[in-house]
Amino acid sequence: MGSSNAPWADAPFALISSPGRGENLQKLDDAVFIARDMANAHNGMLRALNSIYQQCIFVKEPKDVKDLLLYATFWCDWIHEHHTGEETFLFPQIEEITGVKGLMEVNVAQHHAFMEGLEAFHKYAKETKVEEYDGLKLKLLIDRFGGKLTKHLTEEIGTLLGLKTYDGPALKKAYLKFDGEMRKGEKSILYPIVFGSSDNSYEEGFEWPEVPGPIRALVHYWFERKYQGVWRFCPSTTWGERRPLMFTEKQS
């Protein structure tokens, strides 16, 4: 196990403060509910990226390299699916409900701003042979888009909070439908990476995503089996408990 001052997955790309912090979560404004849930998803994406960034230069053994590259590929797929779902369903629904054409345009533009760097990272993760792996190169590829991605993931939350003056129930209904669609991904990939990138101790402490207890056990003991070695790179357990990163300078 790593020491308490070992790097973790909350840096270098800064996490987002949770909207509604300190409020009664059962009585949140609908826009705050949407922004809070989206911030939780975005923080999971940032933790997973930070986990890759912190560990990639210390991964040496062929099996470990193979698993890390697959973890990075799965992370890219998660980002792509999320943003495709936003652009094709959620954002058009928001603009239809609010009656404000182009309301989400700045967020779509931000998607394109980091896409070239993300695609280069995705290509490297998918196509690099184990024996040709260069952890420093992988880290530099993240540097090309990580800042722009973080800016987008953070600023989108502000856009969602700005929806308070519109039809909250309709917006929440559209968001929950979007969220349901996002949960239809490959269960042996999506659920392990999402659960393993959560942190139930973050800020005031809360469980995200909220699922019945047996679901996490099912994911851990069944769905994680297919790519069991890959999930070593997750910064948390399936139950959202922070754990030391496996490959860091402290561990090498």
Side-chain angles (χ1 to χ4, degrees):
M1 302 294 283
S3 65
S4 59
N5 62 352
W8 194 67
D10 47 7
F13 303 108
L15 302 181
I16 305 162
S17 185
S18 301
R21 182 179 181 185
E23 299 179 31
N24 183 338
L25 300 183
Q26 304 304 315
K27 298 181 179 180
L28 288 180
D29 178 273
D30 289 326
V32 178
F33 170 88
I34 293 167
R36 180 182 178 85
D37 198 69
M38 187 71 84
N40 290 332
H42 287 184
N43 279 337
M45 295 169 189
L46 289 168
R47 289 189 196 98
L49 181 61
N50 283 332
S51 178
I52 297 167
Y53 192 90
Q54 295 283 10
Q55 299 184 87
C56 62
I57 62 173
F58 301 108
V59 177
K60 308 295 183 185
E61 296 299 321
K63 183 184 186 308
D64 300 332
V65 169
K66 180 180 178 181
D67 285 341
L68 174 62
L69 290 173
L70 201 51
Y71 182 70
T73 299
F74 291 160
W75 179 83
C76 291
D77 292 339
W78 181 16
I79 297 295
H80 280 301
E81 289 168 10
H82 180 81
H83 287 135
T84 298
E86 287 182 332
E87 291 187 20
T88 60
F89 177 78
L90 181 61
F91 290 175
Q93 283 289 298
I94 289 175
E95 293 188 0
E96 181 178 333
I97 292 166
T98 62
V100 182
K101 185 175 176 60
L103 179 62
M104 307 304 293
E105 190 172 319
V106 64
N107 302 104
V108 174
Q110 287 178 338
H111 287 179
H112 300 304
F114 62 76
M115 193 56 64
E116 182 179 353
L118 177 62
E119 291 293 354
F121 176 70
H122 198 183
K123 179 180 174 67
Y124 187 87
K126 287 177 65 176
E127 299 182 3
T128 298
K129 297 178 181 178
V130 168
E131 59 272 19
E132 297 174 352
Y133 173 75
D134 182 342
L136 181 58
K137 182 172 182 178
L138 190 69
K139 193 172 186 178
L140 291 173
L141 286 170
I142 295 174
D143 282 328
R144 287 180 53 190
F145 72 89
K148 293 177 182 178
L149 174 65
T150 303
K151 173 181 170 68
H152 160 66
L153 294 177
T154 303
E155 292 185 356
E156 185 178 288
I157 304 309
T159 302
L160 296 174
L161 286 171
L163 300 175
K164 289 183 180 180
T165 59
Y166 299 103
D167 186 346
L171 289 167
K172 184 174 181 180
K173 181 178 179 181
Y175 178 78
L176 292 175
K177 186 173 181 180
F178 159 77
D179 183 57
E181 289 298 314
M182 292 300 96
R183 295 184 184 217
K184 291 180 180 178
E186 171 57 52
K187 291 180 175 60
S188 62
I189 297 174
L190 178 64
Y191 284 16
I193 198 169
V194 170
F195 289 173
S197 302
S198 61
D199 177 7
N200 293 347
S201 68
Y202 186 59
E203 295 186 332
E204 72 267 30
F206 53 88
E207 180 180 339
W208 185 89
E210 291 188 35
V211 294
I215 297 297
R216 291 183 184 269
L218 178 64
V219 171
H220 181 69
Y221 293 108
W222 182 256
F223 290 119
E224 289 183 13
R225 293 170 62 183
K226 186 174 182 179
Y227 301 107
Q228 192 167 20
V230 172
W231 311 127
R232 295 178 295 156
F233 292 94
C234 285
S236 297
T237 69
T238 315
W239 283 266
E241 300 162 333
R242 290 170 59 129
R243 63 185 182 189
L245 301 181
M246 184 169 288
F247 300 91
T248 66
E249 187 174 11
K250 296 286 184 180
Q251 304 289 346
S252 299

